[in-house]
Amino acid sequence: MSSFKNAAQAQRRTHRERSQPAHRKKFGLLEKHKDYVVRARDFNKKKKIIKQLKGVADEKNPDEFYRGMIKSRVVDGKHEIHKDNTLDHETVMLLKTQDANYINLKLQAERNKISKLKEVLHDTMGEKVNTHTVFVDSDSEDIDLENLEKLPDAPAVDSATKKALGRAKKVQYNVLQTRIKRLQTLERASNKLQVYKNIAAAKGQVFKEVDEDSGNVSYRWKKQRAK
């Protein structure tokens, strides 16, 4: 029985989708029912959203007010929020004090690291002189330095080990130079913050002077008579 069904299906005509007529090729592919369903659902979804927005606009109170309206506005149809980044004098002083404390903390940490590196790298480039301590029973005992038993020589270091030690030493010196430059940068930043703090706390007029040759900036306070 199944063989007759398979034979019937083999002779059945294959269903084909209708294509776009030749005189309508300029309009692109012919829309099928599944394409219409997707387009209709998208249209109805947008229509529903527009209806909801119209309802919100109709029910809006014209006297409605909230503080966000002060800093918001519509520019070219786009809603923008204006942010006021100005700070009062006390807040600026507090922030600069916190910045100065942070920089001073980093300065102390860099000084400690540089001190430790210098202790490790101290006199590593020079030739180290070995010493040998001799213990005696009394101060009056004579010591024959020439006939003392010599200590065994240290094992020879191969060239590969020497090169590895040299590379490690070079890396340590590069790290030291980098930390010294970082320390100098932090010191300059700390000095600038201190100058700005003094200017902000100044009561009289402050004059700014720029050296034409070096470009250094200095500040001068107006002389005031002490009471």
Side-chain angles (χ1 to χ4, degrees), residues 86-112:
T86 58
L87 301 174
D88 56 350
H89 180 71
E90 295 181 356
T91 306
V92 173
M93 290 295 296
L94 178 61
L95 292 176
K96 287 186 177 181
T97 303
Q98 292 177 352
D99 292 342
N101 294 337
Y102 175 76
I103 290 178
N104 291 333
L105 181 66
K106 287 294 183 181
L107 270 173
Q108 188 61 34
E110 287 296 331
R111 289 194 183 102
N112 294 337

Side-chain angles (χ1 to χ4, degrees), residues 31-47:
E31 185 183 37
K32 306 299 188 296
H33 178 70
K34 59 180 181 181
D35 302 326
Y36 164 76
V37 170
V38 174
R39 184 167 57 85
R41 287 177 180 173
D42 181 65
F43 173 79
N44 291 328
K45 182 179 178 180
K46 294 178 180 178
K47 184 178 179 181

Side-chain angles (χ1 to χ4, degrees), residues 107-131:
L107 270 173
Q108 188 61 34
E110 287 296 331
R111 289 194 183 102
N112 294 337
K113 292 177 181 179
I114 289 173
S115 178
K116 290 180 180 179
L117 275 175
K118 286 183 176 180
E119 290 177 359
V120 173
L121 299 175
H122 179 64
D123 201 22
T124 54
M125 299 300 292
E127 193 70 24
K128 187 175 180 180
V129 179
N130 295 325
T131 59

Side-chain angles (χ1 to χ4, degrees), residues 18-30:
R18 179 188 173 190
S19 62
Q20 186 76 280
H23 65 281
R24 293 179 58 86
K25 288 289 185 182
K26 60 181 180 180
F27 298 111
L29 298 174
L30 181 65

Side-chain angles (χ1 to χ4, degrees), residues 7-227:
Q9 290 179 359
Q11 295 178 0
R12 187 178 301 172
R13 183 177 181 180
T14 305
H15 176 72
R16 295 181 179 179
E17 289 283 350
R18 179 188 173 190
S19 62
Q20 186 76 280
H23 65 281
R24 293 179 58 86
K25 288 289 185 182
K26 60 181 180 180
F27 298 111
L29 298 174
L30 181 65
E31 185 183 37
K32 306 299 188 296
H33 178 70
K34 59 180 181 181
D35 302 326
Y36 164 76
V37 170
V38 174
R39 184 167 57 85
R41 287 177 180 173
D42 181 65
F43 173 79
N44 291 328
K45 182 179 178 180
K46 294 178 180 178
K47 184 178 179 181
K48 184 179 179 180
I49 294 175
I50 292 174
K51 185 178 179 180
Q52 291 177 352
L53 292 176
K54 285 184 178 179
V56 172
D58 294 338
E59 296 174 0
K60 182 180 179 181
N61 183 8
D63 298 329
E64 181 182 0
F65 174 78
Y66 57 95
R67 297 187 63 84
M69 292 180 177
I70 299 176
K71 299 181 181 180
S72 61
R73 56 187 175 181
V74 178
V75 180
D76 297 334
K78 296 181 180 180
H79 184 260
E80 294 182 356
I81 298 177
H82 176 68
K83 295 183 179 180
D84 187 9
N85 296 324
T86 58
L87 301 174
D88 56 350
H89 180 71
E90 295 181 356
T91 306
V92 173
M93 290 295 296
L94 178 61
L95 292 176
K96 287 186 177 181
T97 303
Q98 292 177 352
D99 292 342
N101 294 337
Y102 175 76
I103 290 178
N104 291 333
L105 181 66
K106 287 294 183 181
L107 270 173
Q108 188 61 34
E110 287 296 331
R111 289 194 183 102
N112 294 337
K113 292 177 181 179
I114 289 173
S115 178
K116 290 180 180 179
L117 275 175
K118 286 183 176 180
E119 290 177 359
V120 173
L121 299 175
H122 179 64
D123 201 22
T124 54
M125 299 300 292
E127 193 70 24
K128 187 175 180 180
V129 179
N130 295 325
T131 59
H132 178 52
T133 305
V134 179
F135 297 94
V136 296
D137 296 333
S138 62
D139 297 338
S140 61
E141 185 178 351
D142 296 334
I143 303 174
D144 188 4
L145 298 177
E146 295 181 359
N147 297 327
L148 282 176
E149 183 180 358
K150 293 185 178 181
L151 295 175
D153 296 335
V157 182
D158 56 347
S159 59
T161 306
K162 288 183 178 180
K163 289 181 181 180
L165 292 174
R167 286 195 297 267
K169 189 185 300 181
K170 187 177 180 180
V171 170
Q172 291 293 329
Y173 272 101
N174 292 336
V175 171
L176 179 61
Q177 292 295 331
T178 303
R179 292 200 178 280
I180 291 175
K181 290 181 181 179
R182 189 181 303 167
L183 178 65
Q184 295 173 353
T185 304
L186 289 173
E187 287 177 347
R188 288 195 296 267
S190 179
N191 294 335
K192 284 185 179 180
L193 281 177
Q194 187 62 36
V195 170
Y196 294 154
K197 184 179 179 181
N198 295 337
I199 293 173
K203 295 181 180 179
Q205 189 175 3
V206 181
F207 301 95
K208 180 179 179 181
E209 298 179 353
V210 181
D211 190 357
E212 296 181 356
D213 297 332
S214 61
N216 296 330
V217 180
S218 60
Y219 297 90
R220 180 171 54 84
W221 276 259
K222 185 178 180 180
K223 295 183 179 179
Q224 292 183 350
R225 183 178 180 182
K227 295 182 180 180

